[in-house]
Amino acid sequence: MKTRCLFTALIGVLLLVTAAQAQGIIIPRPCSRPEVRCPAPPEIPQRPLKVKSIRFTTKITDQVAVTHVEQVFENDTPFLLEGVYFFPLPDNVSITEFAMWDGDKRLVGEVRSREEAWRIYNDIVRSRRDPALLEYAGKNLFQASIFPIQPHSDKKIELTYSQVLRNEGGTVAYRYPLGTGWQANGFWAEPPRPMPLPRPRRGFEPQRPQSNPEPGQISAVVEISSRAAIKGIYSPSHEIDVKRDGERKARLSFESRAAARTDFQLFYTLSDQDFGLSLLTYREPGKDGYFLLLVSPKAELDEREVSAKDVIFVLDTSGSMSEEGKMDKAKAALRHGVSTLNPRDRFNIVSFAGEEHLMSERAIAADEEGKKQAREFIERMRATGGTNINDALMAAFKQLQAGERPQMVVLITDGQPTVGETQANRILANVKQANKANLRLFTFGVGYDVNTVLLDGLANENRGTVGYIEPKEDIEVKVSDFFAKVNNPVLSDLKIDWGGIETDLVYPRATPDIFHGSQLVLIGRYRPSNRASANQLTLTGKVNSRERRFVYADLKFPEKQSDNEFLPHLWAMRRVGYLLDQIRLNGESKELCDEIVDLGTRYGIVTPYTSYLVLEPGMRLQQLGGLGGAMSPRHPAPPGAVSGRPVNGRSSMSETITITGSDAVAFSKEKEELRKADKVTLNSPSANQIRQVAGKTFYLRDGVWTDSEFKAEAKLPVVTLKFASDEYFNLIGQEPKLADCFALGQRVVVVWKGKVYRVEE
């Protein structure tokens, strides 16, 4: 018999205290409808309905954002259900439409009072005793009653709301709720692979986490239109594809099947200057502040605004390059690099095996005649002989003299130095001595038989970048992509005057050049000035050999800023990458090792010094067999949660990390990702035992989610709360951000505003 179609939408908005957000969720509840047969209360699912897909489209016109959300939920039970839909909203939004679909019928709901919405949510949270539902506490909560939800069917929900985005100092921020709510659904992203070990551990297979429910499809499109020119577009949370239409329009998108662990965050810069600047800050009172500085060139450039450059290509033509077609692919990549040079550029080519060969005695113009000469030289290249990296680089540096142009050397090699100077430290010293012009050196390692310490050091100590091309990857594609990024320098030799603000540990340490189509991302710490609430920053650089100054006024490095809580984690990732690089080049010290362990533990960053082992109750490190020996942590881990310890059971990273081979290449690539991090990720292999919420990292120990900041020896005041008690809910009402922490489970230890809050069952 056909069930009569009924629809009731009781819609309310819960205006609570904070603007934090979460995604929509449907919670089944008992229904008493005489006209239909609903399941008996014991049969009602105790978990929210599975999120099958999320799609949102946002159109931002002069800071007015209209967001249309489509969510599809799945009822995988044999019962006809009624449910309550919750969707936390940003501040100051206007809901323009809410609808649900019943088959092919689109039904529009009506608005009810916010008091009723609050009562329904409060009753559900207290009766369910499910801490995961606290993810929705302290949020501007939209609520609707949904009926009918047919058995073994999908339920589509649509929601449209508009808001005016804030413009702070030329930076506009947009946020869409994705991250929260997945815990209530039981979805957690599969952990990425840990930082590779230098050698495999004999007899040890890492324990794989338990499988999670398959997350739904997430897709998004954001269109921006502005009367002011749009410069930088940046997301710290997601990899986005950006397409520009002139200076004042942009379209960005992303798709994913991974469970969302963070909200989608977007920042973009509005500026009519040649280089737009955005400043994001975060600071807890009494502590160092963190900042991210984003500098972006305009989207459309005149040819005269692109700096002419000097490029020396250095290609390894040793015998090993003949294997697996590497030589042909490298030659094709080199031909592409030459073809993309601008007519005002100068260049030369150095091929090397046992000795070096120059295309020309000096750098030549990149006109048609010069490019023809290059193609003929490339065609004559043959793979034979040994590998003399040192002399090839010395020949390249002799081609370049100190001048006003951006200058760069691009090295492509598939081997270790075997001829001439073969000691990596001496080659690095020779290059440092020869690089009087302070040019940029970019290195590419092809395959696994490369000296990763040498290639990393050559690039990182000479203002360049390093790339590795693994055997299954295409040399031509990887190198061609690099040439496309660096072909058009628009601002070189950058210097920044912070105007009285004390900055500290800014990464990257050497400010790189800015190329067309890219943007500079600096991340560091600061201490606010007592002299002024606003600050002036001056950016100096060379455009076509002429020095230019750009002044940015009214930049604020505040005493307190609770937004952008991702910044400390992002800074820690870059700091750890830098420290690993220093240890690899110069050897380890206790101070560096301790800092790596401390940062790795605080932010859940896996390194060779924090190979996380989650210990079961009563288990000691000495009981872990097959790890090549046991060692106590160099730095105390959160109680029982994790053991920060050197990998392979050895006392020295220098003893374990090899310089060549697949593990060495993988380690270098992971380290470089940390050094250049602009997205916050949790790279722990024990993701089921680690959570990051409210800017904090928690470890699961003996069934208790423990804040990484908790130290018993600190002897902070302890407040003990019984889960779901009146005191428990009262505290959440006073401190809404604690709800995100308490949502982890019924047993939680969190450090908050000088106190330790301990939640017990």
Side-chain angles (χ1 to χ4, degrees), residues 89 151 180 194 205 227 244 292 295 317 327 358 375 405 424 517 539 547 564 579 603 635 643 702 744:
L89 295 162
T180 321
E205 288 292 332
R227 284 176 289 184
R244 292 180 177 267
L292 182 148
V295 183
T317 59
M327 192 66 200
L358 277 67
R375 289 192 294 269
R405 292 178 168 219
L539 176 66
E547 187 168 281
N564 310 319
L579 294 174
Y603 296 100
H635 188 84
S643 171
D702 293 340
L744 290 168

Side-chain angles (χ1 to χ4, degrees), residues 211-419:
S211 59
N212 295 319
E214 182 182 357
Q217 177 73 35
I218 304 170
S219 61
V221 174
V222 180
E223 296 179 354
I224 307 172
S225 177
S226 173
R227 284 176 289 184
I230 303 169
K231 291 299 192 299
I233 299 176
Y234 167 67
S235 172
S237 59
H238 292 74
E239 294 288 346
I240 56 177
D241 178 51
V242 179
K243 290 182 170 56
R244 292 180 177 267
D245 181 8
E247 292 285 339
R248 290 170 170 76
K249 291 184 178 180
R251 183 183 189 274
L252 58 96
S253 60
F254 70 87
E255 290 187 2
S256 173
R257 285 204 67 87
R261 300 185 70 168
T262 60
D263 291 348
F264 170 66
Q265 291 179 272
L266 174 68
F267 301 91
Y268 63 92
T269 312
L270 299 178
S271 174
D272 288 318
Q273 289 207 52
D274 288 347
F275 294 88
L277 183 142
S278 290
L279 176 68
L280 307 177
T281 60
Y282 175 84
R283 187 173 189 266
E284 297 179 42
K287 297 183 180 180
D288 286 333
Y290 298 86
F291 71 88
L292 182 148
L293 189 74
L294 183 72
V295 183
S296 309
K298 55 188 179 182
E300 296 180 338
L301 288 177
D302 187 281
E303 183 179 321
R304 293 168 297 180
E305 296 175 294
V306 176
S307 298
K309 62 184 179 296
D310 293 336
V311 184
I312 308 298
F313 302 100
V314 183
L315 179 63
D316 183 350
T317 59
S318 60
S320 58
M321 284 292 287
S322 63
E323 301 169 1
E324 302 175 350
K326 288 186 287 186
M327 192 66 200
D328 290 337
K329 293 178 180 179
K331 288 164 68 173
L334 188 52
R335 278 192 290 265
H336 176 80
V338 170
S339 70
T340 60
L341 293 173
N342 299 315
R344 295 182 296 118
D345 294 340
R346 296 187 299 239
F347 77 104
N348 204 346
I349 301 174
V350 180
S351 66
F352 72 96
E355 58 186 29
E356 69 280 2
H357 300 277
L358 277 67
M359 178 188 72
S360 175
E361 292 183 2
R362 60 183 61 87
I364 63 175
D367 52 20
E368 285 306 314
E369 183 178 346
K371 291 180 180 180
K372 179 182 177 183
Q373 183 178 344
R375 289 192 294 269
E376 293 173 350
F377 181 78
I378 294 170
E379 185 61 33
R380 294 194 299 270
M381 288 181 179
R382 297 292 182 269
T384 181
T387 307
N388 192 337
I389 293 177
N390 184 83
D391 288 357
L393 289 175
M394 295 302 104
F397 282 112
K398 289 177 183 177
Q399 296 286 303
L400 300 172
Q401 305 297 325
E404 300 299 321
R405 292 178 168 219
Q407 297 178 321
M408 60 184 74
V409 172
V410 181
L411 169 67
I412 304 174
T413 179
D414 79 329
Q416 304 180 58
T418 59
V419 177

Side-chain angles (χ1 to χ4, degrees), residues 688-701:
N688 284 346
Q689 288 81 29
I690 302 177
R691 296 284 187 267
Q692 291 178 339
V693 294
K696 290 177 167 288
T697 302
F698 289 83
Y699 296 94
L700 184 62
R701 190 235 174 175

Side-chain angles (χ1 to χ4, degrees), residues 22-40:
Q23 71 148 349
I25 191 173
I26 293 180
I27 303 172
R29 70 172 183 177
C31 69
S32 54
R33 298 177 182 270
E35 66 273 24
V36 296
R37 180 183 179 277
C38 293

Side-chain angles (χ1 to χ4, degrees), residues 470-502:
E470 299 190 49
K472 293 182 180 180
E473 295 179 309
D474 193 316
I475 301 173
E476 182 178 359
V477 171
K478 295 271 286 197
V479 178
S480 297
D481 287 346
F482 161 77
F483 288 145
K485 292 176 182 177
V486 303
N487 196 46
N488 296 309
V490 291
L491 192 64
S492 60
D493 296 333
L494 275 69
K495 296 181 178 62
I496 297 176
D497 181 349
W498 298 95
I501 288 294
E502 184 181 351

Side-chain angles (χ1 to χ4, degrees), residues 279 498-501 528-537 552-559:
L279 176 68
W498 298 95
I501 288 294
S529 170
N530 296 324
R531 293 176 294 175
S533 58
N535 200 59
Q536 177 175 291
L537 183 147
Y552 305 89
D554 299 326
L555 296 178
K556 296 180 180 179
F557 290 82
E559 291 275 353

